Amino acid sequence: MDKLKRVFVYIFLSVLAFVSIFPFLWMIISATNKSADVTKGRLLPGGQLFENINQLFSTVDILPALLNSAKISVTTTVLAMVIASLAGYGFEIYRSRAKDVVFNILLLSMMIPFAAIMVPLYQMFGGISQVIPFIGLDTLSGVVLPTFTTAFLIFFFRQNTKMFPRELLEAGRIDGLNEISLFFRIFMPTMKTTYAAAGIITFMSSWNNYLWPLIVLQSPEKKTVPMLISNLGSSYSPDYGIIMTAIVISTIPTALVFFLMQKHFVAGMTGSVK
C-alpha cells in the first residue's frame, strides 16, 4: 500500500513538474522555429535559431536594452539589500514602543496595488525632475528609486533576523564594536543565505519590471528589455520566432543568477519560515 501511494505521489509530482517547465521548454523550442510554425503550435525544434538571432539584432538594438536592464537591476538589488536588511534588523533587534505600529503600517502598504499609486508617483517624479533632472523622469535613477526596496523585503529580513543568535551581538559589543560595525561585520556575513534569497527575488523582479519603466522612460535609448519585447509584439504582423528569441536572451541573466545561487536561495527561503 505504501509503495502504491509512493507511485501516485511520484506521478502527481511529475505532472506538476512538467506543467511548470513546459512554458519554458516551449519558449526555447519556439525560438528555433519560424513565426508560422510558432502560431501553429509546433512542439519540435527547428533550424531557424541563428536566423532569428540575426533578424533580432538587425531589427532592434537589444544590447543597449540589456545594459539598461542590468544597470537598473544591479543597482536596485544592491540598494535593496542594504536598506531592507537595515530596516529588518532594526525592527527586530532594537526595542521601541512604536516599532510594531510602524511595522504593521508598513505591512498594510503591501495591500495597496501599484496602480493606485502610479499616477501620484508619476506626478511626484515629474516635480522632482524640474528641480533635480538626473533623478526625475526619463532617467534610470527614476526607475530605481521607487522600487529599490519593498515592505515584503523588510518583512523577509525581519523574520530571518528572529533566528539570528543575539550572543554574537553581545560578544561584539564586549569587543568594542559599535552598532554599525555589528551590522556590517557580524550580521551581514552570518546572514549570507538570507541576502542571497532576497537578492535573487529583487534582481528577478527588477529585471522583469515593465509598467513603471514604461511610464518613466521616454527616450528610445533608455528602454529596458521588457519594453523592447513589448514593442516587438505590438507590430501589425509580429514575428513570433524573433519575439521568442528575444525572450530567451532576456531570460539568460536571471536564470544564471538563480542557478548560481540556488543553494543559498533554498537555505534562505527555508530559514525565513522556521
Side-chain angles (χ1 to χ4, degrees):
M1 190 67 179
D2 291 337
K3 291 183 177 180
L4 185 61
K5 288 182 179 179
R6 186 175 299 178
V7 169
F8 279 113
V9 169
Y10 283 146
I11 293 174
F12 178 71
L13 293 178
S14 299
V15 171
L16 288 182
F18 176 77
V19 172
S20 300
I21 202 173
F22 176 76
F24 183 74
L25 293 176
W26 183 77
M27 174 186 69
I28 296 176
I29 292 173
S30 297
T32 65
N33 288 312
K34 298 179 180 180
S35 181
D37 294 329
V38 176
T39 56
K40 291 177 182 178
R42 178 185 170 94
L43 297 178
L44 296 175
Q48 193 73 11
L49 176 61
F50 293 105
E51 181 65 26
N52 287 337
I53 293 175
N54 291 332
Q55 290 185 15
L56 174 65
F57 280 86
S58 62
T59 303
V60 295
D61 294 329
I62 192 171
L63 292 180
L66 289 169
L67 183 60
N68 290 333
S69 290
K71 289 178 180 178
I72 292 172
S73 300
V74 171
T75 305
T76 301
T77 302
V78 172
L79 289 176
M81 294 304 95
V82 176
I83 303 300
S85 61
L86 274 170
Y89 175 86
F91 274 121
E92 182 59 30
I93 297 298
Y94 301 111
R95 295 181 179 179
S96 172
R97 293 180 180 178
K99 74 172 185 178
D100 289 333
V101 176
V102 174
F103 187 72
N104 289 333
I105 294 173
L106 190 66
L107 291 181
L108 285 175
S109 68
M110 296 173 61
M111 303 179 186
I112 303 174
F114 179 75
I117 63 173
M118 183 172 58
V119 174
L121 198 62
Y122 177 82
Q123 291 177 339
M124 183 179 72
F125 273 85
I128 292 175
S129 62
Q130 297 178 2
V131 181
I132 312 175
F134 59 88
I135 63 171
L137 299 177
D138 201 26
T139 62
L140 298 183
S141 57
V143 178
V144 171
L145 286 177
T147 59
F148 68 82
T149 192
T150 61
F152 168 76
L153 277 181
I154 296 174
F155 170 79
F156 181 76
F157 273 104
R158 185 184 184 183
Q159 291 303 108
N160 278 270
T161 306
K162 291 180 183 294
M163 298 178 296
F164 182 77
R166 307 298 176 89
E167 295 80 7
L168 294 178
L169 298 179
E170 295 300 329
R173 291 188 179 102
I174 293 174
D175 289 339
L177 294 178
N178 57 33
E179 297 302 315
I180 298 297
S181 298
L182 287 174
F183 178 80
F184 285 101
R185 297 178 62 179
I186 295 180
F187 179 80
M188 290 184 72
T190 305
M191 305 295 288
K192 61 182 181 180
T193 56
T194 303
Y195 279 92
I200 291 173
I201 294 171
T202 305
F203 183 87
M204 295 178 70
S205 176
S206 179
W207 183 273
N208 295 320
N209 190 13
Y210 172 72
L211 184 57
W212 180 242
L214 178 66
I215 296 171
V216 174
L217 302 175
Q218 286 101 27
S219 300
E221 66 274 8
K222 295 179 181 178
K223 288 182 178 180
T224 60
V225 173
M227 296 171 63
L228 193 72
I229 295 174
S230 176
N231 289 342
L232 287 173
S234 62
S235 61
Y236 181 76
S237 56
D239 190 318
Y240 293 106
I242 294 178
I243 293 174
M244 290 300 173
T245 304
I247 295 174
V248 170
I249 293 174
S250 70
T251 306
I252 292 174
T254 55
L256 287 176
V257 169
F258 177 78
F259 286 116
L260 289 175
M261 304 178 69
Q262 183 180 9
K263 292 182 179 180
H264 296 299
F265 176 78
V266 174
M269 293 301 294
T270 303
S272 67
V273 296
K274 283 184 178 179

